[in-house]
């Protein structure tokens, strides 16, 4: 028997404020058509004044817990992926822990930018596989609207705020690719490319800073590395692209999503796409897409999923799981 981390609940939360592309036309040399042609994005959500990443994460966590039919007090561990935590410390995860009434477990943040949720899932899987936890709440949450340069049309139109969450529970499987739950993970990073995507602030500068990105270079690395990591994760469990029911990618840019799917050998009819409605929500994008995919009736129990993401670092990875 093999101890598996099986998805028991999923949920998401998006701030009330919806920002259409047309809003940027008032202050930037841009247009709805320009933004759509380069990113596929039509709209995104921005957090309200005073609304924090942990607030968004809490709402997504509560939705996932309700979907799983369990109380927050029953969770053993909380792993929260974010690059926009409320404070330098304590972690946003401990804030969520308090908000859901959990006192017996432990909570921590994972920071791998847009790849954060893949890293968080891998960590949660390891906690369950090793017996350190039976139920893990995994969250991706971001308020990237707080780190935008509103004069840079190449970046500020791409990002949005939101949160998504999964409840994972330990179950025994047969140790085959037919098992439900997380089947394999593949994580990578290469710090030589850290200057391609970063925030120019932090503790060293004593200011928050804003996001900076070399878009063309990030695009080039993304397509190559995302297809590669997805293939590697599938190969680890003896599977291939033909076995995949759904690819649930990081929702950064429709052109990256399309190019990666083609390189992976998967048609777009098997790719969950939400970038048009949410923009790039960094670590929140995959759990948001998972939750929307379930709500839309796309993702069903027993489906084989591949999630893949790349972010600043550069950091990238993939997870193969059976829903």
């Amino acid at each position: 028997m093999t101890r598996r981390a099986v998805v028991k609940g999923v949920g998401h939360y998006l701030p009330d404020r919806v920002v259409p592309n047309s809003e940027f036309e008032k202050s930037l040399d841009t247009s709805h058509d320009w933004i759509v042609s380069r990113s596929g994005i039509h709209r995104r959500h921005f957090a309200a004044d005073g609304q924090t990443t942990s607030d968004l994460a809490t709402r997504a966590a509560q939705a996932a817990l309700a979907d799983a039919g369990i109380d927050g007090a029953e969770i053993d561990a909380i792993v929260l992926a974010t690059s926009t935590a409320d404070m330098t410390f304590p972690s946003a995860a401990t804030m969520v822990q308090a908000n859901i009434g959990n006192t017996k477990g432990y909570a921590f943040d994972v920071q791998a930018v847009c790849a954060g949720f893949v890293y968080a899932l891998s960590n949660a899987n390891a906690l369950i596989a090793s017996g350190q936890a039976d139920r893990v709440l995994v969250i991706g949450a971001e308020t990237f609207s707080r780190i935008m340069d509103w004069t840079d049309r190449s970046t500020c139109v791409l990002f949005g705020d939101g949160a998504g969450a999964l409840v994972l529970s330990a179950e025994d499987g047969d140790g085959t690719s037919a098992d439900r739950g997380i089947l394999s993970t593949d994580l990578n990073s290469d710090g030589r490319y850290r200057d391609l995507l970063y925030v120019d602030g932090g503790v060293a500068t004593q200011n928050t800073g804003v996001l900076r990105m070399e878009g063309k270079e990030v695009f080039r690395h993304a397509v190559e590395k995302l297809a590669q990591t997805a293939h590697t994760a599938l190969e680890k469990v003896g599977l291939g692209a033909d076995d995949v029911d759904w690819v649930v990618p990081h929702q950064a840019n429709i052109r990256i999503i399309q190019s990666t799917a083609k390189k992976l050998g998967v048609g777009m009819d098997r790719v969950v796409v939400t970038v048009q409605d949410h923009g790039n929500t960094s670590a929140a994008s995959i759990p948001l897409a998972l939750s929307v995919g379930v709500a839309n009736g796309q993702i069903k129990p027993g489906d084989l999923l591949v999630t893949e993401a790349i972010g600043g670092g550069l950091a990238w990875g993939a997870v193969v799981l059976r829903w």
Side-chain angles (χ1 to χ4, degrees), residues 93-171:
T94 57
M95 298 175 187
V96 174
Q97 182 184 27
N99 292 341
I100 66 172
N102 182 282
T103 57
K104 73 164 189 174
Y106 51 93
F108 59 93
D109 288 356
V110 170
Q111 211 279 53
V113 201
C114 300
F117 192 75
V118 169
Y119 274 61
L121 271 183
S122 183
N123 274 271
N125 181 58
L127 291 173
I128 287 176
S130 64
Q132 296 181 75
D134 292 323
R135 288 195 178 107
V136 182
L137 178 61
V138 191
I139 310 167
E142 302 283 14
T143 49
F144 259 51
S145 62
R146 304 276 159 73
I147 55 170
M148 288 294 102
D149 177 354
W150 299 112
T151 67
D152 181 3
R153 71 170 186 167
S154 68
T155 58
C156 71
V157 302
L158 301 178
F159 294 88
D161 303 336
L166 298 181
V167 174
L168 299 177
S169 183
E171 285 188 6

Side-chain angles (χ1 to χ4, degrees), residues 130-276:
S130 64
Q132 296 181 75
D134 292 323
R135 288 195 178 107
V136 182
L137 178 61
V138 191
I139 310 167
E142 302 283 14
T143 49
F144 259 51
S145 62
R146 304 276 159 73
I147 55 170
M148 288 294 102
D149 177 354
W150 299 112
T151 67
D152 181 3
R153 71 170 186 167
S154 68
T155 58
C156 71
V157 302
L158 301 178
F159 294 88
D161 303 336
L166 298 181
V167 174
L168 299 177
S169 183
E171 285 188 6
D172 287 332
D174 294 327
T176 72
S177 61
D179 289 348
R180 288 188 64 204
I182 294 176
L183 302 178
S184 69
T185 66
D186 180 62
L187 301 181
N188 309 268
S189 67
D190 192 334
R192 293 176 299 171
Y193 301 113
R194 62 188 179 276
D195 292 335
L196 298 184
L197 178 57
Y198 66 99
V199 169
D200 61 1
V203 174
T205 59
Q206 296 187 36
N207 66 75
T208 303
V210 294
L211 183 144
R212 304 296 183 193
M213 180 171 67
E214 298 290 338
K216 290 182 179 179
E217 282 298 302
V218 171
F219 186 101
R220 182 175 66 83
H221 282 281
V223 174
E224 173 193 346
K225 290 176 168 55
L226 290 175
Q228 179 188 57
T229 188
H231 274 304
T232 299
L234 285 165
E235 288 170 357
K236 286 182 178 181
V237 282
L239 297 171
D242 291 342
D243 299 303
V244 176
D245 293 297
W246 292 103
V247 176
V248 187
H250 168 47
Q251 307 286 319
N253 181 305
I254 190 62
R255 293 186 300 152
I256 292 176
I257 293 170
Q258 291 168 337
S259 298
T260 302
K262 183 177 181 180
K263 199 172 182 66
L264 188 57
V266 174
M268 286 300 294
D269 59 333
R270 289 190 283 153
V271 181
V272 176
V273 180
T274 60
V275 68
Q276 70 278 359

Side-chain angles (χ1 to χ4, degrees), residues 3 12 40 53 69 81 84 104 106 165 264 272 274 277 282-283 298 303 312:
R3 189 172 162 96
H12 71 274
T53 294
T84 52
K104 73 164 189 174
Y106 51 93
L264 188 57
V272 176
T274 60
D277 296 320
S282 190
Q298 294 169 287
D303 282 353

